[in-house]
C-alpha cells in the first residue's frame, strides 16, 4: 500500500498522517470509448482467458468510429489471446488494441507512456488498425507476441499492423518482439475481410507509421521480417538509434513488394539478420519504392545467402531506390552473401561517402 506522508507542526508537535492510495487492479473486459471501467495508471487489462463470442470482448482496447483516449494513463499492461472455439471451430482474433475491422472505421486510440501489450495465440496482434483509424502512443511502448502463427501466414501475429489508410504515431524506445513464423514486427498491407467491398479504394493513399528514436524490433520466427510492406503508398518513418534484428531463416529486416512506398530510417541505426537467406534490405519487384537510410547506419548479415541490400526488378521495370548515408557499413559473413546485389532493371543503390562494404564469406 502506498502512503502519502503529511507532516504537520501543531504546537511544536509533529503529526504523521498516512493516507492510502488506490492499489492497481486487473480488468477482465474490453475498454473502449467512454467505457473505461475505471482504468488507471498501473492497471492490467486481461482478456486472455475470455470465452466471449461477441466482438469486441476478446480485444483489450477497442474503437469503432469514436475516440478511446487513455493518453493520460501510464504503465498499463494489456493481455489478450486469439483462440479457436471448441464447439464451432471458429477462430477468434485476440488483438491487444484494435479498431473496427470495417474499411470505413475512423476510430482513434490514444495511450500514455510505458504500456505493455502481451498477446498469445491465433492472429493476436499488438495493435491492429483498419479503415482510416489512428493510433497514438507515448514513450516506452512494449509489444510481445509470444506464440503467434500455428501454421502459415493466416495465423500470424504482428507487433504493429496497418490496413487500408491508417496512421500510427509512436514515441521513443518502442520495443517489439515476435516469436513465431511469419510474425512481422511491423506489417503494412491493404486487406479486407471476406465479402467486403471497399467503395473508398480510389481515394486511399496508404498507411503511415512514424516511430521516434531508439526503437528495437526482434523477430525470432522464420519468414518474420522486422518490417514488411506489401501495399501501395505506405510510408514508414523511423528516427535514429533504431536496432532491428531478425533471427529466423528468410526473415528480412525490411521487405517491400509494392509500389510508391517511402521508408526513412535515421542516423546511428543497426539493422541485422542472423540466419540464412535473410537480407537486410529486400526490394522485391517494388515500383517507385524509396528507402533512405541515415548516416552511420550498419547493415549486417551473419549467414549464407543473406545480402546487405537486395533490389530485384523481376523484369517488371521496378524503380526501387536505396540510399545509404555517409560513414555507414555493410557487413556480411556468410557464403554467397553479397553486400549489394541488384537484379532486373531500373533499380538504384546510392552509397554515401566513407561507407564501407565488407564480405568475408565465399561464393
Amino acid at each position: 500500500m502506498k502512503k502519502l506522508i503529511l507532516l504537520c507542526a501543531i504546537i511544536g508537535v509533529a503529526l504523521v498522517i498516512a493516507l492510502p492510495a488506490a492499489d492497481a487492479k486487473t480488468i477482465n473486459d474490453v475498454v473502449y470509448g467512454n467505457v473505461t471501467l475505471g482504468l488507471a495508471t498501473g492497471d492490467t487489462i486481461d482478456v486472455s482467458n475470455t470465452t466471449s463470442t461477441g466482438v469486441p470482448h476478446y480485444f483489450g482496447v477497442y474503437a469503432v468510429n469514436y475516440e478511446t483516449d487513455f493518453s493520460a494513463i501510464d504503465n498499463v499492461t494489456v493481455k489478450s489471446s486469439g483462440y479457436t472455439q471448441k464447439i464451432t471451430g471458429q477462430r477468434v482474433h485476440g488483438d491487444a488494441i484494435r479498431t473496427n475491422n470495417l474499411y470505413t472505421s475512423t476510430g482513434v486510440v490514444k495511450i500514455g507512456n510505458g504500456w505493455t501489450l502481451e498477446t498469445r495465440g491465433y492472429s493476436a496482434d499488438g495493435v491492429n488498425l483498419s479503415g482510416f483509424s489512428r493510433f497514438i502512443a507515448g514513450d516506452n511502448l512494449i509489444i510481445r507476441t509470444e506464440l503467434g502463427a500455428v501454421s502459415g501466414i493466416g495465423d500470424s501475429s504482428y507487433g504493429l499492423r496497418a490496413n487500408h489508410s491508417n496512421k500510427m504515431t509512436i514515441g521513443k524506445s518502442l520495443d517489439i518482439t515476435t516469436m513465431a513464423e511469419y510474425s512481422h514486427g511491423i506489417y503494412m498491407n491493404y486487406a479486407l475481410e471476406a465479402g467486403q467491398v471497399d467503395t473508398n479504394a480510389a481515394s486511399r493513399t496508404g498507411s503511415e507509421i512514424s516511430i521516434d528514436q531508439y526503437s528495437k524490433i526482434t523477430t525470432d520466427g522464420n519468414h518474420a521480417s522486422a518490417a514488411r510492406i506489401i501495399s501501395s503508398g505506405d510510408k514508414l518513418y523511423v528516427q535514429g538509434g533504431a536496432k532491428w534484428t531478425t533471427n529466423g531463416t528468410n526473415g528480412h529486416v525490411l521487405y517491400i513488394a509494392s509500389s510508391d512506398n517511402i521508408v526513412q530510417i535515421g542516423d546511428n541505426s543497426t539493422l541485422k539478420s542472423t540466419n540464412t537467406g535473410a537480407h537486410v534490405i529486400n526490394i522485391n519487384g517494388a515500383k517507385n519504392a524509396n528507402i533512405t537510410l541515415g548516416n552511420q547506419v550498419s547493415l549486417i548479415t551473419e549467414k549464407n545467402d543473406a545480402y546487405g541490400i537486395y533490389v530485384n526488378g523481376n523484369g517488371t521495370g521496378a524503380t526501387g531506390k536505396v540510399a545509404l548515408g555517409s560513414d555507414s557499413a555493410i557487413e556480411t559473413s556468410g557464403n554467397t552473401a553479397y553486400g549489394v546485389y541488384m537484379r532486373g532493371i531500373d533499380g538504384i543503390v546510392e552509397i554515401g561517402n566513407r561507407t564501407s562494404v565488407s564480405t568475408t564469406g565465399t561464393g
Side-chain angles (χ1 to χ4, degrees), residues 18-198:
L19 301 179
D23 289 333
K25 59 185 176 297
T26 297
I27 298 171
N28 297 116
D29 204 348
V30 62
V31 294
Y32 59 97
N34 293 324
V35 183
T36 67
L37 303 180
L39 183 69
T41 291
D43 285 351
T44 296
I45 302 168
D46 189 350
V47 291
S48 60
N49 294 315
T50 182
T51 58
S52 169
T53 59
V55 176
H57 295 283
Y58 34 79
F59 304 135
V61 179
Y62 191 69
V64 185
N65 297 319
Y66 48 73
E67 181 173 282
T68 297
D69 187 356
F70 298 129
S71 57
I73 300 176
D74 300 331
N75 303 321
V76 171
T77 297
V78 182
K79 299 180 180 181
S80 65
S81 177
Y83 65 97
T84 301
Q85 292 180 346
K86 293 181 179 180
I87 298 176
T88 65
Q90 178 186 2
R91 285 178 166 176
V92 177
H93 301 263
D95 307 317
I97 295 178
R98 174 72 177 258
T99 60
N100 187 276
N101 64 346
L102 294 175
Y103 57 84
T104 57
S105 174
T106 58
V108 179
V109 175
K110 299 178 181 180
I111 64 174
N113 299 316
W115 280 51
T116 298
L117 313 180
E118 300 176 357
T119 74
R120 297 172 63 86
Y122 168 77
S123 192
D125 304 325
V127 179
N128 185 348
L129 301 188
S130 296
F132 297 91
S133 54
R134 292 185 295 137
F135 173 66
I136 299 97
D139 297 339
N140 301 304
L141 172 62
I142 297 173
I143 300 175
R144 299 287 184 265
T145 67
E146 294 185 357
L147 296 182
V150 177
S151 57
I153 295 175
D155 296 327
S156 304
S157 295
Y158 313 121
L160 301 173
R161 178 173 183 168
N163 305 291
H164 312 136
S165 295
N166 315 132
K167 186 171 184 178
M168 298 189 191
T169 304
I170 298 171
K172 293 182 176 64
S173 301
L174 168 68
D175 186 346
I176 297 174
T177 299
T178 71
M179 295 184 64
E181 63 178 9
Y182 297 102
S183 292
H184 313 299
I186 297 170
Y187 184 61
M188 304 179 75
N189 182 29
Y190 176 84
L192 295 175
E193 296 290 326
Q196 290 183 349
V197 177
D198 187 357

Side-chain angles (χ1 to χ4, degrees), residues 10 13 17 30 32 66 93 113 162 165 222 235 332 342 359-360:
I10 302 177
V13 178
I17 303 175
V30 62
Y32 59 97
Y66 48 73
H93 301 263
N113 299 316
S165 295
N222 297 333
K235 302 173 181 64
T332 72
M342 302 179 68
T359 60
T360 58

Side-chain angles (χ1 to χ4, degrees), residues 253-283:
V253 179
L254 174 62
Y255 179 89
I256 299 178
S258 50
S259 59
D260 301 310
N261 303 119
I262 296 175
V263 176
Q264 297 178 0
I265 299 178
D267 298 344
N268 300 300
S269 294
T270 299
L271 310 180
K272 179 179 179 180
S273 76
T274 67
N275 217 320
T276 304
H279 313 318
V280 175
I281 307 295
N282 186 344
I283 300 179

